[in-house]
């Protein structure tokens, strides 16, 4: 049994065995074959398998065992069945399987019977075989004895041949088996039969005894006859050798003739080729039969004839050439059939496919055939046809026109007519394969011309015959042209396609048509471009010249001109509506000239309007800081001050509303009696301001009233400082007045202390320092008390300045300064009220002296003053004193812009902050400088080095002209060709973040105009202490130390995440939160409040891997404090409801992130929601907005992707030629939300990746300025109820300036599940 068989029957026993002689292995079968039989047989089979495995692992150098003889194999097979029969006979009659008993008797009986039959079959076969072989041997011996006994007569060839045949037969029998092996197998079979008790015939035994002797006798006769015939054999062999030589020569001649005259030439044709093949086959058969006869004779005499290779080669060549001609016949018949195909029914694809198969079959023919002419001819036929077919396919193209067929006839020199009887044969007769390039050139021209024809008819004519203008309606009822984007896209595409078509070398036939369409579309494009521009200008000017009586009165001539333009434009639009087809409408005779005339007239009106607006701006320079639409709105409503009032925040620092007197009927008059800040602080005017006349005049009067009122009230506050209780005095006066008056008295009292010190009172400064401590404690108690929001902010601001004043005095005491002329005191910003001569306030620092400007600043918080702030103040004020600009520079979050603004507030100046970008040109910056110079305001240009380098070169000239005029103390000066006023208080400052993306290096000529200030990281500990004091904390110093220690450790020990910010803005945000917590839980220990604020505000932005470190740090700083997070249950309830309404599962992590976002939006106006895709960023803020609605707050949000357009389209840009402002998507959105009448929450959600190109323009929106400054000089405020929400994946490409301006809420690891 083989190994594979053993494996098949025993798959579960032992390891899998792989047979080396088999390519497949039974052990890999997936099903199990169960063999019937006794357990003993299975064990025996397993033993055989183990034996075979052990033999496979033996040393290869041992000789293999001898294979068993046939009789041994039969014996083993018969023994197997005998043993199986005996085993079945000894088996039990029944077998039990638990409760089941099976009667095995019928099965064992049947199997025993089968074993007996198998044994009988094998023994019968062996017995019959012995009989047959013995009979055959007896007959052969008898026949040989008779043949060898005959006498051989010399010259008798028949007797000689007969004797030689007998000798040959004996030799063959001897080759088949030796004398010992002839009878030994028979003896073994007989013994085997006797072993298994099979009766053997007596005749068999007798024959086995007698036959070996007879065979020996026959062999002796064989040797005797062979010796006797030797002389005769030698003669015969010589004759055979001669005949063999002659035969070999004939075969060589035959081979040579076959090569020369065989069917190997393509010219004979397939008909004649088959005849030649038949003839040569007969010849080959004849010569081959001759060799067979000779070989048989030679074999009798034990002579070997050399093989006839030439004959065999001829036969092989005949077979090969027959295959070749079969293929040639098939090709010829198929091509002939195709030639009869009508031209209209030709299927070149099918022909080409079959021909390629022919070519492939030819290549598969034996390589010996490739030297024959027939092969080359057949191959060339197929190759030519393959060459012709693409030409036929090309010529069958629908692009072929009669002109192309004529060109083809001219090329081939054959004239033909294409009709219904035109067949492929007619085309092949042209021998197209000889004109491949010419034919393909004709077809290519035809195809290109068809493409042009289709473009002309199916594209141009069809498109523009159906293209129509859409029309809208202006508010005045005039139709407005609205060319669709589809039409404009068609215009652009078709013009480009026409240009490409006319550049083609095949355009000659359609050149005139394309030229005509090019002219039409060029005209249409020009007309639409000018028309849209005219329409836009008309729409802009219509509301001004038609809707504004003030403008019509101021510009009567231009108003008349516009009236005629308006009439002509209305007729034009009505005519356009009657002919809506784009081409017909635009190509009407003189249409372009008509529209260009309107454009020219409108340009004159625009210029007159621009000149008019310029005069208004010069009359009231603050108009330079509002956009033209806002200015026109102000001018058109100039006679209604209550309507102009909404624009006051754009004209002043903090005036929100105006208070007007009412007449007897309760109607508002034009007498302004007071002003409200944006924080709702009210300041009554000392004398009413008459708001009649031109708007620019009464606005100037209003500014004068504001200043005179603040000056008067400041004098009262200074005089009443010592006469009134501190808390009452603070409540009595506006925040700005109370702050400046307090600073005036601080300067006075410090000077008085120095005087006492000089007079000998050594404790004068120390006593004053204690007095300050008492005042500061009184202020802190006021903050902790029950104050309204307005007074609390006022007291916090005063407290912030008082803490700095305390620290200055403490420093003077510590350093033991003896005179007021010491630099430590002179370098402070000192306010002084001159009550004797000028009744005015002056600000002094070092050797610089400034008059206070009384710009109303409202109730805004002031900057915490640190030693870095003092140094910056000194540098900037010295630059002003020296008539230079100031240039604070440093990393993000170091207070560059805020310090400049705070210095301006300290001097009572109006400070305009401009967020610079590459969209600002020299004209935009020039208008800003005009406004600053003529109004005496300060301009702080944030990120100044974002302006393009070529613009900065011109800006340098502009700045220099202003500074030169200041140095010369001019009242008027020439500014780039214009003579304008100059107010000496003007100040120009630039702030820069060096080394950030998108920044340029300032030219040397502009560096020389500004005094640089290097801003470094401020003293966080001092800032935290002062702000904690301002928020009402008594243990401010100790808490500030823990605060700054935690942030320092966070910066050093936590991982470097893109969204981590431990800088000034982050510190300030947490301090504001702490103030709210302090007021919410006044009885809670201050240390506990700090712990809760630091943990709850920072934990949401901490990455998962950093949380254990952060919690460990805060636990070490605040040991034994474990306050639970304060939860807003009302918010959580609405969030759950909103989430379930949106088919979301309100899981705890989802609720927590939503609550964190709510807390963050309460204290920060710019928030980054960071996380990978599918981390529920959008769902978080959408659910929060929905929950706010459930609480009764109408939350409005606008979601846009800032990456879908460039920064010009996002924010807007100034047209370089017309100086017209084009609004952007974001600026429009922010303006609409800012101008909404209600104060419900409004979010702008920017869902897109961060990059400096667009987000840097939001710096002034994201910082404390909260205003979007555009290149049009428009300033759009971010109101307290508005928020910026950035939904982003990472901050990898954000600059530190961006990261520091916004608080982050990572959403990593958060998953929301759809219900």
């Amino acid at each position: 049994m083989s190994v594979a068989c053993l494996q098949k029957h025993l798959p579960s026993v032992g390891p899998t065995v792989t047979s080396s002689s088999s390519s497949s292995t039974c052990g890999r079968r997936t099903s199990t074959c169960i063999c019937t039989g006794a357990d003993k047989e299975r064990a025996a089979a397993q033993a055989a398998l183990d034996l075979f495995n052990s033999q496979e692992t033996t040393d290869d150098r041992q000789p293999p065992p001898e294979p068993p003889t046939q009789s041994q194999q039969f014996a083993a097979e018969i023994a197997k069945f005998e043993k199986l029969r005996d085993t079945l006979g000894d088996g039990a009659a029944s077998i039990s399987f638990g409760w089941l008993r099976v009667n095995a008797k019928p099965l064992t009986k049947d199997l025993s019977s089968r074993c007996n039959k198998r044994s009988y079959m094998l023994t019968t076969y062996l017995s019959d075989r012995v009989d047959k072989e013995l009979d055959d041997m007896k007959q052969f011996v008898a026949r040989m004895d008779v043949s060898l006994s005959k006498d051989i007569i010399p010259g008798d060839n028949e007797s000689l041949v007969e004797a030689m045949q007998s000798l040959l037969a004996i030799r063959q029998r001897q080759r088949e088996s030796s004398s010992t092996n002839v009878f030994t197998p028979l003896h073994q079979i007989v013994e085997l039969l006797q072993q298994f008790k099979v009766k053997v015939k007596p005749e068999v035994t007798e024959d086995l005894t007698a036959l070996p002797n007879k065979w020996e006798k026959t062999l002796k006769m064989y040797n005797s006859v062979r010796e006797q015939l030797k002389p005769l054999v030698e003669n015969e062999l010589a004759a055979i050798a001669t005949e063999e030589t002659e035969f070999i020569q004939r075969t060589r001649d035959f081979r040579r003739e076959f090569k020369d005259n065989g069917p190997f030439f393509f010219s004979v044709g397939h008909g004649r080729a088959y005849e030649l093949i038949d003839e040569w086959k007969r010849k080959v058969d004849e010569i081959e039969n001759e060799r067979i006869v000779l070989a048989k004779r030679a074999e009798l005499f034990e002579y070997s004839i050399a093989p006839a290779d030439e004959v065999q080669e001829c036969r092989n060549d005949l077979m090969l050439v027959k295959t070749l001609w079969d293929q040639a016949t098939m090709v010829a018949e198929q091509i002939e059939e195709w030639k009869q195909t009508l031209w209209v029914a030709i299927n070149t694809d099918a022909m080409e496919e079959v021909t390629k198969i022919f070519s492939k079959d030819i290549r598969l023919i034996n390589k010996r055939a490739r030297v024959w002419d027939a092969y080359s001819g057949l191959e060339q036929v197929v190759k030519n046809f393959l060459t012709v077919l693409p030409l036929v396919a090309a010529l069958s193209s629908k692009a072929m026109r009669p002109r192309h067929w004529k060109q083809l006839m001219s090329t081939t020199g054959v004239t033909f007519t294409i009709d219904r009887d035109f067949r492929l044969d007619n085309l092949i007769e042209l021998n197209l394969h000889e004109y491949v390039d010419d034919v393909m050139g004709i077809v290519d021209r035809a195809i290109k011309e068809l493409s042009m024809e289709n473009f002309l008819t199916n594209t141009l004519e069809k498109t523009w015959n159906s293209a129509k203008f859409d029309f809208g309606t202006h508010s005045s009822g005039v139709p407005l042209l609205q060319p669709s984007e589809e039409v404009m896209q068609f215009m652009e595409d078709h013009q480009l396609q026409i240009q490409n078509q006319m550049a083609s070398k095949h355009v000659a036939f359609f050149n005139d048509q394309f030229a005509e369409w090019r002219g039409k579309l060029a005209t249409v494009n020009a007309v639409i471009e000018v028309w849209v521009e005219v329409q836009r200008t008309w729409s802009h000017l219509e509301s001004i010249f038609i809707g504004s009586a003030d403008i019509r009165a101021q510009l009567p001539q231009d108003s008349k001109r516009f009236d005629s333009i308006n009439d002509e434009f209305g007729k034009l639009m009505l005519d356009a509506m009657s002919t809506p087809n784009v081409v017909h409408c635009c190509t009407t005779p003189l249409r372009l000239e008509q529209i260009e005339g309107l454009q020219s007239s409108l340009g004159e009106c625009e210029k007159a309007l621009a000149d008019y607006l310029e005069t208004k701006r010069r009359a009231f320079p603050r108009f330079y800081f509002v956009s033209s639409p806002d200015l026109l709105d102000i001018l058109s409503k100039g006679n209604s001050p209550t309507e102009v009032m909404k624009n006051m925040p754009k004209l002043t620092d903090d005036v929100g509303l105006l208070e007007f007197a009412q007449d007897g009927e309760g109607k508002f008059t034009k007498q302004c009696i007071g002003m409200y800040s944006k924080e709702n602080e009210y300041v009554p005017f000392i004398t009413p301001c008459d708001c009649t006349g031109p708007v620019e005049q009464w606005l100037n009067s209003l500014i004068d009233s504001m200043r005179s009122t603040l000056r008067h009230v400041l004098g009262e506050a200074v005089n009443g400082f010592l006469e009134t209780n501190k808390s009452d005095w603070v409540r009595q006066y506006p925040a700005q007045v109370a702050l400046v008056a307090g600073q005036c008295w601080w300067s006075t009292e410090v000077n008085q202390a120095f005087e006492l010190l000089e007079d000998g009172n050594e404790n004068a400064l120390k006593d004053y320092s204690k007095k300050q401590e008492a005042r500061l404690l009184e202020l802190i108690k006021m903050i902790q008390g029950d104050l309204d929001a307005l007074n609390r902010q006022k007291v916090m601001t005063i407290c912030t300045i008082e803490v700095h004043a305390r620290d200055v005095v403490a420093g003077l005491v510590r350093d033991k300064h003896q005179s007021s002329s010491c630099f430590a005191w002179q370098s402070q910003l000192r306010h002084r009220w001159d009550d004797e001569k000028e009744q005015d306030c002056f600000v002094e620092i070092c050797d610089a002296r400034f008059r206070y400007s009384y710009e109303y600043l409202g109730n805004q918080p002031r900057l915490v003053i640190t030693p870095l702030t003092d140094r910056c103040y000194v540098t900037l004020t010295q630059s002003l004193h020296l008539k230079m600009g100031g240039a604070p520079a440093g990393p993000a979050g170091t207070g560059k812009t805020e310090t400049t603004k705070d210095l301006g507030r300290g001097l009572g100046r109006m400070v305009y902050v401009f967020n610079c970008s590459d969209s600002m040109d020299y004209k935009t910056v020039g208008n800003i400088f005009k406004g600053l110079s003529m109004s005496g305001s300060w301009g702080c240009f944030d990120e100044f080095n974002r302006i393009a380098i070529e613009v900065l070169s011109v800006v340098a000239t502009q700045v220099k002209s202003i500074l030169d005029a200041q140095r010369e103390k001019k009242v008027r000066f020439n500014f780039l060709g214009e003579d304008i006023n100059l107010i000496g208080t003007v100040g120009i400052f630039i702030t820069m973040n060096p080394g950030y993306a998108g920044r340029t290096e300032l030219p040397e000529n502009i560096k020389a105009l500004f005094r640089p200030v290097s801003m470094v990281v401020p003293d966080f500990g001092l800032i935290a202490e002062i702000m904690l004091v301002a928020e009402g904390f008594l243990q401010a110093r100790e808490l500030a130390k823990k605060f700054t220690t935690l942030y320092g450790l966070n910066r050093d020990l936590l991982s470097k995440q893109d969204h981590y910010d431990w800088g000034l803005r982050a510190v300030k945000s947490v301090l504001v939160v702490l103030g709210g917590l302090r007021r919410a839980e006044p009885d809670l220990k201050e240390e506990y409040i700090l712990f809760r604020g630091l943990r709850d505000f920072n934990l949401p932005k901490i990455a998962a891997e950093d949380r254990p470190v952060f919690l460990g740090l805060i636990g070490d700083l605040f040991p034994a404090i474990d306050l639970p997070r304060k939860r807003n249950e009302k918010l959580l309830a609405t969030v759950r409801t909103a989430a379930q309404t949106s088919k979301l599962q309100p899981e705890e992590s989802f609720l927590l992130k939503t609550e964190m976002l709510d807390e963050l939006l309460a204290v920060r106006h710019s928030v980054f929601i960071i996380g990978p895709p599918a981390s529920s960023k959008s769902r978080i803020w959408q659910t929060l907005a929905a929950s706010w609605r459930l609480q009764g707050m109408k939350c409005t949000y606008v979601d846009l992707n800032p990456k879908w357009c460039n920064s010009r389209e996002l924010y807007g840009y100034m047209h370089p030629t017309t100086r017209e402002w084009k609004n952007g998507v974001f600026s429009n959105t922010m303006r609409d939300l800012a101008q909404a009448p209600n104060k419900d929450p409004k979010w702008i959600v920017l869902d897109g990746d961060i990059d400096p190109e667009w987000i840097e323009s939001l710096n002034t929106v994201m910082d404390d300025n909260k205003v979007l400054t555009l290149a049009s000089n428009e300033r759009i405020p971010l109101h307290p109820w508005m928020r910026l929400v950035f939904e982003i994946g990472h901050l990898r490409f954000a600059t530190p300036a961006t990261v520091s301006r916004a608080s982050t809420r990572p959403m990593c690891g958060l998953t929301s599940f759809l219900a």
Side-chain angles (χ1 to χ4, degrees), residues 156-422:
D156 186 0
N157 287 334
E158 291 183 4
S159 60
L160 177 60
V161 169
E162 183 180 355
M164 294 304 295
Q165 287 175 343
S166 298
L167 293 176
L168 178 61
I170 292 172
R171 286 199 303 272
Q172 290 175 345
R173 180 61 66 104
Q174 282 182 315
R175 281 197 297 268
E176 292 173 2
S177 61
S178 63
S179 60
T180 55
N181 289 334
V182 171
F183 300 103
T184 298
L186 298 178
H187 281 290
Q188 291 175 350
I189 292 173
V190 170
E191 290 175 0
L192 186 150
L193 293 174
Q194 291 173 350
Q195 177 185 347
F196 290 103
K197 300 178 183 180
V198 177
K199 188 176 180 180
V200 180
K201 298 177 183 179
E203 295 85 356
V204 172
T205 304
E206 294 175 359
D207 289 342
L208 278 176
T209 303
L211 271 177
N213 296 328
K214 293 180 180 180
W215 175 245
E216 288 296 331
K217 182 181 176 182
T218 302
L219 289 177
K220 290 179 181 180
M221 292 178 65
Y222 165 81
N223 293 329
S224 175
V225 172
R226 188 176 181 186
E227 289 295 327
Q228 182 183 353
L229 294 178
K230 268 187 177 181
L232 297 176
V233 170
E234 291 176 358
N235 295 333
E236 193 65 26
L237 286 175
I240 290 174
T242 302
E243 292 181 15
E244 181 187 14
T245 302
E246 295 175 354
F247 178 76
I248 290 173
Q249 185 59 41
R250 287 202 305 277
T251 57
R252 291 174 178 171
D253 296 339
F254 180 81
R255 175 65 177 165
R256 192 179 303 108
E257 183 183 0
F258 178 71
K259 286 183 177 181
D260 295 339
N261 302 318
F264 302 116
F265 301 95
F266 191 73
S267 59
V268 301
H270 58 274
R272 176 59 181 156
Y274 282 121
E275 294 177 1
L276 290 175
I277 289 171
D278 291 340
E279 292 177 8
W280 283 104
K281 183 178 181 302
R282 285 194 298 272
K283 293 179 181 179
V284 170
D285 290 343
E286 291 173 359
I287 197 168
E288 200 168 52
N289 289 336
E290 184 180 345
R291 181 192 177 283
I292 291 172
V293 172
L294 181 60
K296 286 183 178 180
R297 279 183 59 203
E299 186 181 9
L300 294 176
F301 299 97
E302 300 182 38
Y303 184 82
S304 178
I305 298 295
D309 294 336
E310 289 83 357
V311 178
Q312 186 59 40
E313 289 176 0
C314 290
R315 182 173 293 280
N316 293 340
D317 287 349
L318 276 176
M319 294 172 61
L320 184 57
V321 81
K322 168 69 165 53
T323 303
L324 179 62
W325 280 109
D326 287 344
Q327 187 68 42
T329 302
M330 190 187 313
V331 170
E333 291 176 352
Q334 184 62 70
I335 291 177
E336 189 61 33
E337 179 184 346
W338 285 339
K339 286 182 178 180
Q340 306 308 314
T341 307
L342 292 177
W343 177 249
V344 294
I346 290 176
N347 184 353
T348 55
D349 291 337
M351 293 180 182
E352 187 173 6
E353 183 178 355
V354 174
T355 308
K356 286 181 179 179
I357 293 174
F358 286 158
S359 178
K360 181 179 179 181
D361 291 343
I362 293 171
R363 288 196 301 272
L364 293 176
I365 295 175
N366 195 297
K367 293 182 179 180
R368 291 188 296 112
R370 297 186 182 182
V371 299
W372 299 338
D373 179 71
Y375 182 91
S376 302
L378 175 61
E379 188 178 39
Q380 189 61 41
V381 168
V382 173
K383 190 177 295 184
N384 289 344
F385 200 73
L386 279 174
T387 304
V388 168
L389 281 178
L391 302 179
V392 173
L395 291 173
S396 63
S397 170
K398 295 181 180 179
M400 293 292 289
R401 297 289 185 267
R403 62 180 182 275
H404 303 126
W405 288 110
K406 291 179 180 178
Q407 189 176 359
L408 179 63
M409 295 178 197
S410 174
T411 301
T412 58
V414 179
T415 303
F416 53 87
T417 303
I418 299 179
D419 53 18
R420 288 183 296 177
D421 297 330
F422 190 74

Side-chain angles (χ1 to χ4, degrees), residues 673-969:
I673 58 176
M675 57 185 173
Y676 288 91
S677 71
K678 296 174 184 177
E679 300 80 24
N680 208 32
E681 181 186 63
Y682 178 66
V683 179
F685 289 158
I686 54 174
T687 56
C689 176
D690 185 15
C691 298
T692 57
V695 63
E696 65 275 12
Q697 292 182 9
W698 66 257
L699 280 175
N700 277 318
S701 299
L702 186 67
I703 296 298
D704 292 339
S705 295
M706 173 188 72
R707 290 173 172 169
S708 61
T709 296
L710 290 177
R711 181 176 178 180
H712 175 78
V713 176
L714 178 59
E716 292 182 351
V718 170
N719 294 327
F721 182 77
L722 298 178
E723 301 173 0
T724 314
N725 178 272
K726 180 73 172 179
S727 59
D728 295 337
W729 182 84
V730 168
R731 289 185 176 92
Q732 180 179 352
Y733 294 102
Q736 179 181 356
V737 171
L739 189 63
V740 175
Q743 289 178 290
C744 289
W745 271 106
W746 173 65
S747 301
T748 301
E749 290 175 340
V750 172
N751 286 325
Q752 291 173 354
F754 272 119
E755 290 175 1
L756 292 174
L757 188 64
E758 292 174 355
D759 292 339
N761 186 353
E762 296 180 356
N763 295 322
L765 280 176
K766 293 181 181 178
D767 294 340
Y768 181 65
S769 179
K770 294 177 182 178
K771 185 178 179 180
Q772 277 189 304
E773 291 283 359
R775 287 179 180 173
L776 186 60
L777 185 60
E778 184 180 358
L779 290 173
I780 294 175
K781 290 180 179 178
M782 288 181 65
I783 294 172
Q784 293 176 342
D786 186 15
L787 292 175
D788 57 66
L790 195 63
N791 280 313
R792 172 169 283 106
Q793 181 60 59
K794 183 195 303 184
V795 176
M796 288 172 61
T797 304
I798 295 174
C799 193
T800 301
I801 301 301
E802 287 289 342
V803 171
H804 173 255
R806 178 202 65 182
D807 294 340
V808 170
V809 174
L812 294 174
V813 173
R814 182 185 64 249
D815 297 334
K816 298 180 180 181
H817 291 289
Q818 303 295 320
S819 172
S820 60
S821 61
C822 66
F823 183 75
W825 173 243
Q826 292 296 318
S827 62
Q828 298 300 315
L829 198 66
R830 309 182 311 279
H831 290 71
R832 177 177 61 84
W833 179 258
D834 187 353
D835 199 21
E836 298 178 357
K837 297 180 180 180
E838 302 190 38
Q839 294 290 315
D840 204 349
C841 179
F842 295 90
V843 182
E844 298 172 346
I845 181 171
C846 296
D847 61 344
R849 181 172 177 267
F850 306 95
R851 188 184 294 271
Y852 193 75
S853 296
Y854 301 103
E855 179 73 25
Y856 181 54
L857 305 176
N859 192 9
Q860 301 181 62
R862 289 289 298 274
L863 191 68
V864 174
I865 302 176
T866 66
L868 174 65
T869 313
D870 286 333
R871 289 193 293 272
C872 187
Y873 282 177
V874 170
T875 307
L876 294 182
T877 52
Q878 286 299 304
S879 68
L880 292 173
H881 182 62
L882 298 173
K883 308 306 178 185
M884 295 180 66
T894 52
K896 301 180 295 296
T897 304
E898 292 304 315
T899 302
T900 304
K901 284 177 58 181
D902 196 72
L903 177 60
R905 288 172 180 165
L907 300 179
R909 302 284 169 83
M910 177 68 188
V911 181
Y912 291 98
V913 178
F914 304 94
N915 188 30
C916 300
S917 67
D918 54 4
S919 63
M920 298 177 70
D921 58 16
Y922 75 96
K923 291 184 179 179
T924 301
V925 181
N927 284 333
I928 295 175
F929 287 149
K930 281 184 187 179
L932 296 176
S933 301
M934 299 172 71
S935 65
S937 303
W938 283 10
C940 181
F941 295 85
D942 198 15
E943 313 293 349
F944 186 69
N945 49 350
R946 288 186 66 210
I947 300 177
I949 186 67
E950 57 272 15
V951 177
L952 290 176
S953 299
V954 182
V955 169
T957 304
Q958 297 172 341
V959 174
K960 188 175 186 303
S961 65
I962 296 173
L963 297 179
D964 289 345
Q966 276 188 304
R967 292 189 187 98
E968 297 171 10
K969 298 182 180 181

Side-chain angles (χ1 to χ4, degrees), residues 328-569:
T329 302
M330 190 187 313
V331 170
E333 291 176 352
Q334 184 62 70
I335 291 177
E336 189 61 33
E337 179 184 346
W338 285 339
K339 286 182 178 180
Q340 306 308 314
T341 307
L342 292 177
W343 177 249
V344 294
I346 290 176
N347 184 353
T348 55
D349 291 337
M351 293 180 182
E352 187 173 6
E353 183 178 355
V354 174
T355 308
K356 286 181 179 179
I357 293 174
F358 286 158
S359 178
K360 181 179 179 181
D361 291 343
I362 293 171
R363 288 196 301 272
L364 293 176
I365 295 175
N366 195 297
K367 293 182 179 180
R368 291 188 296 112
R370 297 186 182 182
V371 299
W372 299 338
D373 179 71
Y375 182 91
S376 302
L378 175 61
E379 188 178 39
Q380 189 61 41
V381 168
V382 173
K383 190 177 295 184
N384 289 344
F385 200 73
L386 279 174
T387 304
V388 168
L389 281 178
L391 302 179
V392 173
L395 291 173
S396 63
S397 170
K398 295 181 180 179
M400 293 292 289
R401 297 289 185 267
R403 62 180 182 275
H404 303 126
W405 288 110
K406 291 179 180 178
Q407 189 176 359
L408 179 63
M409 295 178 197
S410 174
T411 301
T412 58
V414 179
T415 303
F416 53 87
T417 303
I418 299 179
D419 53 18
R420 288 183 296 177
D421 297 330
F422 190 74
R423 295 175 302 175
L424 178 62
D425 190 25
N426 302 119
L427 205 58
I428 292 178
E429 289 176 357
L430 300 177
N431 293 328
L432 295 179
H433 60 275
E434 298 178 2
Y435 306 98
V436 174
D437 293 339
D438 296 330
V439 173
M440 292 309 297
I442 293 171
V443 174
D444 182 57
R445 174 182 290 275
I447 293 173
K448 294 293 176 55
E449 290 182 356
L450 178 63
S451 173
M452 295 177 182
E453 183 179 342
N454 291 334
F455 177 64
L456 284 168
T457 56
N458 298 335
T459 302
L460 288 178
E461 294 181 3
K462 186 176 180 181
T463 299
W464 294 106
N465 285 340
S466 61
K468 295 182 179 180
F469 281 127
D470 295 330
F471 292 90
T473 304
H474 190 259
S475 57
S476 63
V478 176
L480 291 180
L481 190 69
Q482 294 179 346
S484 64
E485 291 186 10
E486 184 181 16
V487 169
M488 300 311 294
Q489 188 63 44
F490 281 148
M491 175 83 64
E492 183 179 344
D493 293 344
H494 290 170
Q495 283 183 310
L496 181 61
Q497 291 175 26
I498 289 174
Q499 181 179 352
N500 292 337
Q501 296 283 14
M502 295 191 72
S504 172
K505 62 182 180 180
H506 306 298
V507 76
F509 190 78
F510 298 104
N511 188 64
D512 294 341
Q513 298 178 55
F514 276 123
E516 180 183 357
W517 272 108
R518 181 175 63 181
K520 285 183 180 179
L521 294 185
T523 302
V524 170
N525 188 36
V527 168
I528 290 178
E529 184 177 344
V530 178
W531 200 331
V532 169
E533 184 69 20
V534 166
Q535 180 175 274
R536 183 196 51 73
T537 307
W538 174 86
S539 300
H540 169 62
L541 297 179
E542 193 271 343
S543 60
I544 299 172
F545 284 100
I546 302 298
S548 175
D550 181 66
I551 298 296
R552 294 184 67 84
Q554 295 292 332
L555 303 173
Q557 296 298 326
D558 296 289
S559 297
K560 291 180 181 179
R561 182 187 296 112
F562 186 81
D563 289 340
S564 62
I565 293 173
N566 190 47
D567 294 338
E568 186 178 355
F569 182 78

Side-chain angles (χ1 to χ4, degrees), residues 70-75 78 119-133 185-186 188-194 196 198 200 204:
Q70 194 173 32
S71 60
Q72 289 174 341
Q73 293 176 354
F74 272 97
I78 295 171
S119 298
Y120 177 76
M121 181 185 68
L122 293 173
T123 54
T124 302
Y125 167 76
L126 292 174
S127 179
D128 292 343
R129 178 180 169 185
V130 171
D131 291 343
K132 182 180 178 182
E133 290 188 5
L186 298 178
Q188 291 175 350
I189 292 173
V190 170
E191 290 175 0
L192 186 150
L193 293 174
Q194 291 173 350
F196 290 103
V198 177
V200 180
V204 172

